[in-house]
């Protein structure tokens, strides 16, 4: 009944090494998965060592390793769903399980030792499932929860059938030992693959975000904007095109590092004054575009004016330069017959150029009904253009 004697530690060691390698790439749960599978691998080696060097210490070491493995599994699951949840409780269960197993070994009560170990394993892997219930929105989380549930069920079923499966013979020849290794092979493989898929999906999502973000401002780049605004022309909305005034003079006078600080300050002002569902993108240099889902032209003008005033008031201080900073804005509504959001952006760009040509530091809006002369409305308020 020792057909799994070498397969299990090799399999769990392989998963441990895989997660250890993946942890260098950033997934938060990967180090805990590596620790869990590593402890489990060492725990499965213990019976083989015990055959060569019989000692109660090997049994206690295996119990401690399995308890630590399930603690690490629970932490890995909770990093994905509810980090640090009931950590003190789980630590108490782990330490209590090791102490309970030590007492059982000293009293020579093998059934108690197995019962304590199985009960602790069940509780440690089952607790995260309670925290996971509100978070099971995608198939990967559901698969991971199912794998953890099967592992928990395995521990509970062993605990429930302990008196029958353990028997009175040698532990390594018992039905209990065979079932433990058989189900650990199947459910451990499932858990490892589900956890691996979860970590890889996190990596892919992170790389996708990085590919769609401007590294200087953490706003969207053009690729990210295209993806975030798919189908925008089929819905009500508005766009704003904006540009820092006389930005070349900032670079020439203060250097490109200060220029980058100005761009970053402008991006922060924009993102601080747009609605939560807005999409902000840097299209290159000092030029930004804003997509406002569901907004009309009046709301876009108001949003642009708020950003204009905030940047004029705080931009220089935020960028840490002694220089007057202003920006110009063009706004346009998205029309029902637009082929894409770029039709609206082209109109917003023309309005932006009008703002530049009429003195900068102002908001201009594209008019779609009839050509009208540009006219100021207050200090820097919207102007209409044909």
């Amino acid at each position: 009944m020792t057909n799994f004697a070498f397969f299990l530690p090799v399999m769990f060691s392989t998963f441990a090494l895989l997660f250890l390698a993946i942890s260098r790439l950033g997934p938060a749960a990967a180090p805990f998965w590596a620790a869990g599978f590593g402890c489990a691998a060492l725990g499965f080696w213990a019976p083989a060592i015990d055959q060569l060097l019989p000692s109660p210490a090997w049994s206690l070491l295996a119990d401690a390793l399995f308890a630590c493995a399930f603690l690490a599994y629970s932490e890995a699951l909770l990093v994905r769903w509810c980090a640090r949840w009931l950590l003190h409780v789980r630590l108490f269960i782990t330490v209590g399980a090791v102490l309970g197993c030590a007492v059982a070994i000293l009293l020579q009560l093998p059934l108690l030792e197995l019962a304590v170990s199985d009960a602790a394993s069940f509780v440690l892997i089952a607790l995260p499932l309670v925290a996971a219930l509100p978070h099971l929105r995608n198939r990967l989380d559901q698969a991971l929860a199912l794998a953890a549930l099967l592992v928990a069920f395995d521990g509970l079923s062993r605990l429930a059938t302990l008196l029958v499966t353990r028997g009175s013979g040698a532990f390594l020849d018992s039905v209990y030992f065979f079932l433990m290794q058989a189900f650990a092979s199947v459910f451990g493989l499932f858990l490892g693959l589900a956890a691996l898929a979860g970590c890889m999906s996190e990596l892919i999502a992170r790389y996708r975000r990085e590919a769609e973000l401007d590294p200087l401002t953490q706003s969207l780049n053009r690729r990210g904007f295209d993806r975030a605004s798919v189908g925008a022309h089929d819905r009500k909305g508005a766009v704003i095109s904006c540009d820092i005034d006389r930005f070349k003079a900032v670079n020439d006078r203060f250097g490109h590092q200060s220029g980058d600080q100005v761009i970053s300050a402008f991006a922060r002002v924009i993102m601080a004054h747009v609605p939560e569902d807005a999409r902000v993108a840097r299209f290159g240099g000092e030029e930004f575009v804003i997509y406002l889902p569901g907004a009309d032209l009046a709301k876009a003008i108001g949003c642009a004016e708020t950003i204009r005033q905030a940047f004029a008031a705080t931009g220089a201080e935020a960028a840490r330069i002694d220089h007057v900073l202003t920006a110009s804005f063009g706004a346009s509504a998205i029309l029902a017959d637009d082929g894409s959001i770029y039709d609206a952006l082209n109109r917003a760009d023309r309005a932006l150029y009008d703002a530049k040509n009429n003195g900068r530091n102002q908001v201009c809006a594209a008019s779609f009904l009839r050509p009208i002369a540009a006219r100021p409305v207050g200090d820097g308020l919207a102007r209409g253009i044909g």
Side-chain angles (χ1 to χ4, degrees), residues 239 297-298 300-301 329-333 347-348 350-352 354-355 362-368 372 374 381-386:
V239 294
L297 182 58
I301 292 170
F329 300 78
S332 173
R347 293 191 295 271
R350 290 196 295 270
L352 171 62
D354 188 75
Q362 57 189 259
V363 179
C364 287
S367 175
F368 314 107
I372 59 175
L381 294 177
R383 301 168 182 254
I385 64 170

Side-chain angles (χ1 to χ4, degrees), residues 340-362:
S340 76
I341 194 173
Y342 283 95
D343 291 336
L345 278 175
N346 286 335
R347 293 191 295 271
D349 280 340
R350 290 196 295 270
L352 171 62
Y353 296 145
D354 188 75
K356 294 282 189 181
N357 292 331
N358 283 283
R360 298 180 174 86
N361 189 27
Q362 57 189 259

